[in-house]
Amino acid sequence: MFWRTSSPLDADDEEWQLDCWGWLLKHFGGAAALRKRSLILPTRAFFTPSEERGHAAASHYFRQVAAYFDIDAARFNLVPQEDSIDPVFGPLQVLQNAPREPAGTFSVSLGGAMTITYNPAIVPKPMKLITTFAHEICHPLLLSVSEEPPGGSEMEEFATDLAATFFGFGIFNSNTAASFTQYRDTATGTQGWSFERQGYLSPAERAFALALFIQARGQGVQEAGEYLDSGPLAYFRKATKYLAQTPSISSDLLAAHQ
């Protein structure tokens, strides 16, 4: 008996994402432009490593990310945020609920000057840094569209998350959606694992977007599988199987935006 794979998303989330894909296709080149986009991989073929540290390294990666959007990096002021507060002051002193800086921010002045900030703590983590820059560069692109994304202005950040995958950064987007890291608390003498989430879309939503991007282009499934972490890979495989069993999802979407 043939068993159909259910969607990895609930009905409302899938409907919104497909509507948002349609919105992005409508305003950014349609199906023809989407098919020509590259699946950006975390390899030296796409990003040359930086031999410097700190802001120089961040600027090095920012220029490379901007180039994939065909945007001059010099149009932005790239600014490091202030260092986050270390919540551990000593063996018996821990600051509760210490504020944490976002991975990145985008702002534009009344005069039109655009500024992107980044958390210096993620500079040694190119995957997170590149994902952050891709997300923030998507902001001015989406703001250039007079029509609000599906769901209105309150869904702007979610649409920006999706846009990063739409422009080719789906592997980066999926691998940084959530992470577990080992930690040691010197104040209490305990150790364990901590959870961190970056961005707005869930891991399942990002994997669905990546699978749809690849199906629409007709290539890249094997490449994506090679570079996805184990958690995102499981979501991606389910989304890929679901879309393969329902090819009308991508075909109808592309047909409407030729």
Side-chain angles (χ1 to χ4, degrees):
M1 180 179 292
F2 181 76
W3 295 93
R4 295 188 63 83
T5 300
S6 61
S7 174
L9 308 183
D10 64 37
D12 288 341
D13 289 339
E14 181 177 321
E15 181 181 8
W16 176 85
Q17 185 164 147
L18 294 178
D19 286 345
C20 197
W21 271 94
W23 180 80
L24 290 166
L25 286 164
K26 175 182 177 181
H27 295 288
F28 295 100
L34 179 63
R35 291 190 182 100
K36 293 179 181 178
R37 290 199 179 97
S38 298
L39 175 64
I40 311 298
L41 303 177
T43 67
R44 288 174 179 263
F46 286 85
F47 294 97
T48 59
S50 175
E51 296 181 355
E52 301 179 277
R53 297 182 180 182
H55 186 65
S59 298
H60 172 83
Y61 286 110
F62 183 74
R63 288 191 295 270
Q64 294 181 81
V65 173
Y68 286 115
F69 287 91
D70 292 324
I71 290 178
D72 183 1
R75 293 177 57 190
F76 300 88
N77 299 314
L78 185 65
V79 180
Q81 301 164 5
E82 294 185 6
D83 291 336
S84 300
I85 297 174
D86 186 348
V88 180
F89 294 116
L92 297 176
Q93 294 179 303
V94 178
L95 176 64
Q96 296 294 323
N97 300 317
R100 297 184 62 183
E101 296 295 334
T105 67
F106 168 80
S107 62
V108 58
S109 70
L110 293 176
M114 296 185 292
T115 298
I116 286 177
T117 74
Y118 65 90
N119 188 333
I122 67 173
V123 174
K125 305 171 183 177
M127 182 74 74
K128 285 189 176 183
L129 186 67
I130 290 169
T131 305
T132 298
F133 288 155
H135 177 94
E136 301 307 333
I137 288 175
C138 282
H139 273 297
L141 294 178
L142 269 58
L143 289 174
S144 71
V145 177
S146 58
E147 180 186 9
E148 290 185 342
S153 58
E154 66 183 35
M155 297 302 292
E156 180 185 329
E157 285 289 1
F158 294 89
T160 305
D161 248 5
L162 182 59
T165 294
F166 177 82
F167 285 104
F169 287 83
I171 289 177
F172 289 85
N173 231 8
S174 288
N175 280 345
T176 58
S179 62
F180 292 88
T181 55
Q182 194 169 21
Y183 74 90
R184 180 183 296 275
D185 189 334
T186 57
T188 62
T190 60
Q191 62 182 13
W193 292 85
S194 63
F195 171 80
E196 180 181 8
R197 177 171 172 174
Q198 180 173 330
Y200 295 81
L201 296 178
S202 70
E205 290 168 323
R206 294 188 186 200
F208 185 92
L210 175 58
L212 187 54
F213 174 85
I214 287 173
Q215 187 184 65
R217 291 172 64 254
Q219 57 182 331
V221 172
Q222 183 175 349
E223 286 181 318
E226 291 176 0
Y227 292 100
L228 285 172
D229 295 338
S230 59
L233 180 59
Y235 287 116
F236 174 73
R237 284 174 172 167
K238 183 174 182 179
T240 297
K241 186 174 182 180
Y242 168 70
L243 291 172
Q245 292 177 354
T246 51
S248 60
I249 289 179
S250 63
S251 62
D252 291 351
L253 192 61
L254 295 176
H257 297 89
Q258 293 293 344

